[in-house]
Amino acid sequence: MKYLVFIIIFVVLLSFVFSFFNSDDINIDNLSSNFYDYSVELINGEKLDFNKLKGKKIIIVNVASKCGYTPQYSGLQKLYEKFNNEIEIIGFPANDFLWQEPGKNKDIQTFCNVNYGVTFPLVEKSVVKKNKDQHPLFSWLSHKDLNGWNDAAPGWNFYKYLVDEEGRLISVHSSKIKPFDEQILNFI
């Protein structure tokens, strides 16, 4: 029994470590450096063309429903309700960090609606970490050759990427920065 527990722990740790150091090359040659050239498929089946967001500040957040930071959904929703004329918040459910978003799109949508009353757009479940399956928008957010300065992908769930009204990536904030943090409010 001791060996079985050891093997399970070893396999989980090995897969966790491997996921951080897996370096599948990403070809960004065909990706645009213009933020407004991107579009996403929303969790409700609609398409969101970023060209329609010109003139609005945008907060892009990779989210998960089984994370210690999941209660930030509440703060994000309140931020959206208070400032939705000035900003757009877009949530990207991702299962990239310790399998904390295991649900399917419908499950994620139901969870967000029932538990947090989320009305801001949620994208279909995506990959946000750098690898060959990374969502094209997160490739833009995490490659300085595309966005002009940032080369880092999210290190955990609930990273916040702030894009100004001209489509420029302004700043990136870790999970520890809450939606109503001064850094976010100053951006708005």
Side-chain angles (χ1 to χ4, degrees), residues 30-50:
N30 295 326
L31 296 178
S32 176
S33 61
N34 183 342
F35 178 79
Y36 297 116
D37 288 341
Y38 291 88
S39 64
V40 293
E41 296 297 323
L42 298 178
I43 209 163
N44 64 8
E46 295 177 15
K47 182 178 182 179
L48 174 60
D49 184 348
F50 283 19

Side-chain angles (χ1 to χ4, degrees), residues 31-112:
L31 296 178
S32 176
S33 61
N34 183 342
F35 178 79
Y36 297 116
D37 288 341
Y38 291 88
S39 64
V40 293
E41 296 297 323
L42 298 178
I43 209 163
N44 64 8
E46 295 177 15
K47 182 178 182 179
L48 174 60
D49 184 348
F50 283 19
N51 196 38
K52 294 179 181 175
L53 300 177
K54 283 184 178 177
K56 210 166 194 185
K57 294 179 179 181
I58 303 160
I59 301 174
I60 299 167
V61 186
N62 62 303
V63 296
S65 60
K66 296 185 182 288
C67 174
Y69 293 106
T70 299
Q72 285 191 23
Y73 267 125
S74 178
L76 290 167
Q77 180 58 33
K78 288 175 185 165
L79 195 71
Y80 186 67
E81 289 168 1
K82 185 171 183 174
F83 298 106
N84 70 358
N85 289 328
E86 294 105 86
I87 63 165
E88 187 69 68
I89 296 175
I90 303 170
F92 271 77
N95 197 33
D96 292 351
F97 304 102
L98 287 181
W99 312 282
Q100 294 183 350
E101 188 55 88
K104 298 196 181 308
N105 286 327
K106 189 70 175 160
D107 302 325
I108 297 165
Q109 185 176 28
T110 299
F111 173 85
C112 290

